[in-house]
Amino acid sequence: EYAKTLGLKGSHFTVPDGLAGNEHYSTLEDMLLVARAAAQHPLISRYAAMATDHVTYQSGHTNTWVNTNAMLDPASPYYRPSVTGLKTGSLDRNFCVLVTAEGGGERYIIGIFGARDKNARFADAATAVDALLASGEVAS
């Protein structure tokens, strides 16, 4: 029901975690709508922008979380300081990434779907971010 309020028309969700499920599907257009909603949520934006996070629980147990978005890792060849998140994924050997980036006072969302491997999605996204920010044009 919430998906409908976002304007999604080409999606059908059957599992809450976004992993593969029977009759679970979406479109790039719908995922961009989800990304736009997520990017407006302060807590999601905060954690999606972190390359790593170290947590110490009340019990004293610690855990280090590493973001799978290589565009946030300064040691990665795909790192772009303008990238602020958002979501990586894969299904049936097709890799995707939804990237949020900021530049020139604008906020952008770029979706790469169907990349041949996990690095190709970041290479394609880096090319798109570089071209978009170099052009100074606003894309919708």
Side-chain angles (χ1 to χ4, degrees):
E1 292 301 315
Y2 179 63
K4 289 178 186 174
T5 69
L6 296 177
L8 278 63
K9 296 178 182 164
S11 298
H12 183 254
F13 301 115
T14 59
V15 292
D17 59 11
L19 298 176
N22 290 339
E23 299 182 39
H24 183 90
Y25 57 86
S26 190
T27 64
L28 175 58
E29 293 82 3
D30 281 1
M31 286 294 94
L32 290 172
L33 292 172
V34 171
R36 182 172 30 188
Q40 292 173 354
H41 192 284
L43 191 60
I44 293 172
S45 293
R46 176 179 163 202
Y47 284 101
M50 291 182 176
T52 62
D53 192 21
H54 186 77
V55 178
T56 302
Y57 301 95
Q58 287 181 341
S59 67
H61 175 76
T62 62
N63 186 42
T64 299
W65 172 79
V66 179
N67 195 323
T68 57
N69 187 344
M71 299 186 77
L72 297 170
D73 178 3
S76 167
Y78 310 111
Y79 174 72
R80 298 298 185 274
S82 59
V83 170
T84 58
L86 179 65
K87 175 75 177 97
T88 63
S90 63
L91 182 62
D92 299 329
R93 290 178 273 177
N94 289 296
F95 295 83
C96 64
V97 64
L98 286 164
V99 174
T100 51
E102 296 179 359
E106 298 290 338
R107 189 174 220 183
Y108 302 95
I109 300 173
I110 298 165
I112 305 295
F113 275 48
R116 69 185 176 280
D117 60 49
K118 67 180 183 178
N119 291 327
R121 65 182 166 188
F122 298 125
D124 291 347
T127 298
V129 167
D130 293 346
L132 181 63
L133 296 181
S135 74
E137 294 179 17
V138 177
S140 56

